[in-house]
Amino acid sequence: MRKRVLLISGNFSPEPTGIGKYNGEMIGWLADNGCDCTVVTTYPYYPQWKVQPPYDRMRNWFSKETAGNITVYRCPQYVPANPSGKKRMLQDVSFAASAFVKIMQLVFRRKFDIVITVAPPFHLGLLAILYRKLRGAVFVYHVQDLQIEAARDLAMIRSKRLINTMLKVEQFIFRSADHVSSIADGMIRKISDKTGREVLFFPNWVDVSRYHPLTGKEALKEAFGFAATDKIVLYSGAIGEKQGLESLLHAAAAWQHQPDIRFLICGSGPYKARLEQMAEQLQLKNTTFLPLQPAGQFNQFLNMADVHLVIQKSHASDLVMPSKLGTILAVGGIALITANSGTGLHELVSRHNIGILVDAENQEALQAGIGKAISQNTADIARNARDYAAAHLSISGVMARFKEQVA
């Protein structure tokens, strides 16, 4: 008998990065492996923070898409062009309200066996609890980011009363879920510590057949407009507050005396314009900004880089796991990662020797790490990175284990 799966999430395909990417691939895998899948989501807006064509024409209305045994219901929500703590809260509330309308319609139409919600937004778990009470289903609560702690520690929400209220709601969701899962050891420990329950390991995966090491790095650099002898220091991903990318620009300024070391910032996000302005003020001649690269050439683009930067603020090191890291590992890239000792990310990287670690929010350490990554023989790290991705992060292996645990 085919399992009927309902996913409730504010992000979904065709968003190219982050939670939406993983949700789309998860549902695609489940549909290809015997499940009848329904998704309640909104219109693709991330990482641009603007609803993308052709969906922008429908963004204020409900819509339905069907492809094979996947049905997607898209709900309207408020999308802030410049997200702040308050604006993001309003966005989350607006989607939860419109998703509630759609869930109440589905309650009387479909009986689902499994309901999955993906946090953030954390409170979408309340919709799954409601559906389970009315129709019965296995409720899986999957945590991609510890949203409340991140908002508190990054000072995006300053009200202690509001934070405490949100944490109480989150505790209710944790207690009500049949299964709780998360993407990294450090986050699993934090969730277990505050809930006292088992948390499943459900890591973000990577398509290790699409993303793989290539030879001929010099030719790749020339194809993307650089000199074959240039050393490319790449940041590719969402450009937001939690990354602390100002430190990258200061590092670029410190390396201006070596014109063959090129810094490349690729992606979209609400802070990109601010970084471009800052780069202009610093008169950086060695820094280039590019938009997100097309999927068809992304493997070549990643293979071009000599160093891949995975930069986070110290407060975020154990609250979020950078989704870009899996793809970097898959191509055998040399990841320079800001993570403090004692965090899950630091432990993972050091245990498997799959990257170069420097202390978060330490400018001198970052600049020294870039020099180390460029000048030293890192062949062992590159080989370990690819081996780890192939052994632990392939989508087929991750999804098969997950389905077995929750079905």
Side-chain angles (χ1 to χ4, degrees):
M1 181 178 175
R2 298 174 69 90
K3 292 284 186 180
R4 292 182 173 181
V5 177
L6 171 63
L7 169 68
I8 308 170
S9 178
N11 300 92
F12 192 67
S13 179
E15 290 182 346
T17 63
I19 293 174
K21 170 185 178 293
Y22 290 107
N23 281 345
E25 292 172 353
M26 174 178 68
I27 291 298
W29 189 93
L30 289 171
D32 289 340
N33 286 269
C35 294
D36 184 9
C37 299
T38 300
V39 181
V40 175
T41 186
T42 186
Y43 295 97
Y45 70 92
Y46 186 82
Q48 299 88 356
W49 288 91
K50 181 180 180 181
V51 177
Q52 296 299 291
Y55 296 95
D56 54 336
R57 295 175 297 178
M58 304 174 284
R59 66 183 183 275
N60 296 321
W61 308 95
F62 291 88
S63 66
K64 177 181 178 181
E65 305 164 12
T66 302
N69 53 337
I70 300 175
T71 301
V72 179
Y73 295 98
R74 296 195 184 270
C75 308
Q77 73 167 351
Y78 162 70
V79 179
N82 296 296
S84 61
K86 291 181 180 179
K87 289 179 179 178
R88 292 186 69 166
M89 288 176 59
L90 180 58
Q91 176 191 15
D92 291 347
V93 169
S94 69
F95 172 65
S98 63
F100 170 78
V101 173
K102 182 54 62 178
I103 294 298
M104 293 307 296
Q105 293 174 349
L106 292 175
V107 161
F108 302 104
R109 296 179 187 173
R110 299 293 304 275
K111 173 67 173 69
F112 296 100
D113 302 298
I114 302 171
V115 179
I116 304 171
T117 62
V118 178
F122 79 95
H123 57 273
L124 293 182
L126 296 174
L127 297 178
I129 294 170
L130 174 64
Y131 181 89
R132 191 180 66 169
K133 285 184 177 296
L134 294 174
R135 294 298 303 271
V138 174
F139 169 29
V140 180
Y141 188 59
H142 179 55
V143 181
Q144 283 273 2
D145 288 357
L146 287 166
Q147 181 186 23
I148 303 171
E149 287 90 338
R152 178 195 63 200
D153 295 346
L154 294 172
M156 298 179 73
I157 299 177
R158 299 178 184 274
S159 168
K160 292 183 179 180
R161 179 178 297 179
L162 178 57
I163 289 290
N164 288 335
T165 300
M166 294 166 71
L167 288 171
K168 289 178 180 178
V169 173
E170 183 188 51
Q171 279 284 3
F172 172 68
I173 296 171
F174 281 135
R175 290 196 304 268
S176 302
D178 295 291
H179 301 284
V180 176
S181 61
S182 193
I183 62 175
D185 290 341
M187 294 172 66
I188 286 173
R189 283 197 300 268
K190 284 184 177 292
I191 297 168
S192 295
D193 287 345
K194 66 180 183 177
T195 62
R197 64 171 298 165
E198 180 186 11
V199 180
L200 303 178
F201 180 49
F202 183 28
N204 287 335
W205 52 81
V206 63
D207 187 338
V208 294
S209 59
R210 172 181 290 186
Y211 299 107
H212 53 86
L214 297 174
T215 57
K217 188 183 290 285
E218 292 79 8
L220 290 173
K221 291 177 182 179
E222 292 178 335
F224 284 97
F226 296 95
T229 55
D230 283 343
K231 299 294 184 182
I232 307 299
V233 181
L234 172 65
Y235 175 87
S236 178
I239 301 176
E241 183 176 6
K242 70 184 179 185
Q243 283 81 18
L245 295 180
E246 299 86 356
S247 61
L248 170 55
L249 298 183
H250 290 300
W255 283 96
Q256 286 215 89
H257 64 285
Q258 274 190 249
D260 61 326
I261 298 179
R262 306 288 303 173
F263 288 78
L264 179 55
I265 300 176
C266 172
S268 301
Y271 295 92
K272 185 173 183 179
R274 183 182 302 178
L275 290 179
E276 290 175 326
Q277 183 180 27
M278 183 178 173
E280 186 175 342
Q281 291 171 349
L282 292 171
Q283 299 182 332
L284 298 180
K285 307 297 185 184
N286 59 348
T287 304
T288 303
F289 289 85
L290 290 177
L292 286 171
Q293 296 299 292
Q297 67 181 36
F298 198 51
N299 187 55
Q300 293 92 324
F301 182 73
L302 292 178
N303 272 275
M304 170 191 66
D306 297 281
V307 185
H308 297 261
L309 296 179
V310 182
I311 296 180
Q312 296 185 113
K313 292 184 177 179
S314 58
H315 287 311
S317 296
D318 235 4
L319 304 178
V320 299
M321 178 62 69
S323 59
K324 66 177 70 65
L325 181 57
T327 313
I328 295 170
L329 299 178
V331 301
I334 304 303
L336 178 61
I337 302 161
T338 62
N340 294 335
S341 178
T343 63
L345 180 56
H346 189 284
E347 181 183 329
L348 172 71
V349 173
S350 59
R351 185 194 319 150
H352 297 280
N353 189 28
I354 54 177
I356 296 172
L357 290 158
V358 298
D359 289 342
E361 298 188 69
N362 184 327
Q363 191 65 46
E364 290 185 4
L366 176 63
Q367 290 160 201
I370 292 171
K372 177 181 178 181
I374 290 172
S375 62
Q376 295 188 0
N377 185 341
T378 53
D380 286 348
I381 294 176
R383 184 169 54 254
N384 293 341
R386 173 62 189 181
D387 289 347
Y388 180 86
H392 300 285
L393 301 181
S394 69
I395 184 171
S396 58
V398 171
M399 284 302 307
R401 289 191 296 269
F402 177 72
K403 184 182 179 185
E404 182 179 346
Q405 288 172 320
V406 305

